[in-house]
Each structure stands twice: as C-alpha cells, then as structure tokens.
Amino acid sequence: FLFSPGKLVETATAIYSTDPHHRLAEGTVGIIIQGPRPGYREQCQVHFVSLDEPWWVHFNEIKPYIN
C-alpha cells in the first residue's frame, strides 16, 4: 500500500491547517506514522520535516516521495 506507516510522502499541493496562518508548501516531505482509523478513513497521520507535531492529511493532499 502506497500510504502505509513508514512510507515517505510529500505534499501534492500547499496544505492549510484549521489556522490559516499554518501552511505547508507544495513538496514538503514527511513520513507516515499512522494509517487510516475509524473516523479518519480517508486520512493518515504524517510527521512533516518542518513541523513539531504530526498532521492528519487526506490521501489526495499527499503523494509518494520519489527522490
């Protein structure tokens, strides 16, 4: 599965949090730390390199990281 824990991903576009001042630029790299769970079936939790805390993101907001 492309979006399973331990996989590297990057943002497909800019992503905004619920606070409009918090934004991740397109191409920000992170690692999936938790896959879907009840209530978050279309999302996974990602720890992005530029953040202190992981974010829940929708699968359409990320893509596999290919170096």
Side-chain angles (χ1 to χ4, degrees):
F1 188 60
L2 289 175
F3 299 122
S4 57
K7 299 287 185 175
L8 286 174
V9 295
E10 64 181 307
T11 54
T13 61
I15 299 175
Y16 295 85
S17 77
T18 54
D19 178 344
H21 296 97
H22 294 143
R23 171 186 173 277
L24 290 174
E26 180 177 341
T28 302
V29 176
I31 188 167
I32 296 175
I33 58 173
Q34 189 172 171
R37 66 178 198 190
Y40 297 94
R41 293 177 189 243
E42 299 297 321
Q43 300 178 2
C44 61
Q45 194 174 36
V46 178
H47 190 196
F48 292 100
V49 295
S50 60
L51 299 177
D52 294 330
E53 296 181 6
W55 280 22
W56 283 99
V57 296
H58 288 273
F59 291 122
N60 64 355
E61 294 177 312
I62 57 174
K63 60 184 180 181
Y65 176 76
I66 300 172
N67 186 3

